[in-house]
Amino acid sequence: FTVLDTLLDVILALKLPHLKRIVLTGHSAGGQYTQRWALLSNHSLLTQYEDWVSSSRAATEAKPLPSLRVVVANPKSYCYLDP
């Protein structure tokens, strides 16, 4: 998952002023990849977004983090987690 994590880091480093949402999509094998990435990655957009929004940093930061949506379409198999 390093490539996708790095790509998102590069996009965030560009400091695009109008970037409000990032949508990751995957179809078939790409759907399997995006679902597993969303479940297993430790990228800051997945792990720190809720903490960032609830902290005082959100009020003082000039540019908020963009929201992230992961869309999984028609994978051959889904990853299910057991309790």
Side-chain angles (χ1 to χ4, degrees), residues 18-82:
H18 299 292
L19 181 65
K20 293 185 175 137
R21 177 181 294 153
I22 296 173
V23 180
L24 296 175
T25 61
H27 179 266
S28 193
Q32 289 175 299
Y33 179 84
T34 54
Q35 185 202 25
R36 285 159 176 79
W37 175 83
L39 286 171
L40 302 171
S41 176
N42 290 324
H43 193 274
S44 61
L45 282 177
L46 293 170
T47 60
Q48 297 175 5
Y49 184 77
E50 301 261 342
D51 295 337
W52 185 88
V53 168
S54 64
S55 73
S56 62
R57 213 175 102 196
T60 60
E61 188 85 14
K63 183 183 176 309
L65 288 173
S67 64
L68 175 67
R69 177 174 288 180
V70 179
V71 179
V72 177
N74 305 314
K76 184 177 179 181
S77 63
Y78 288 94
C79 185
Y80 291 99
L81 302 176
D82 277 342

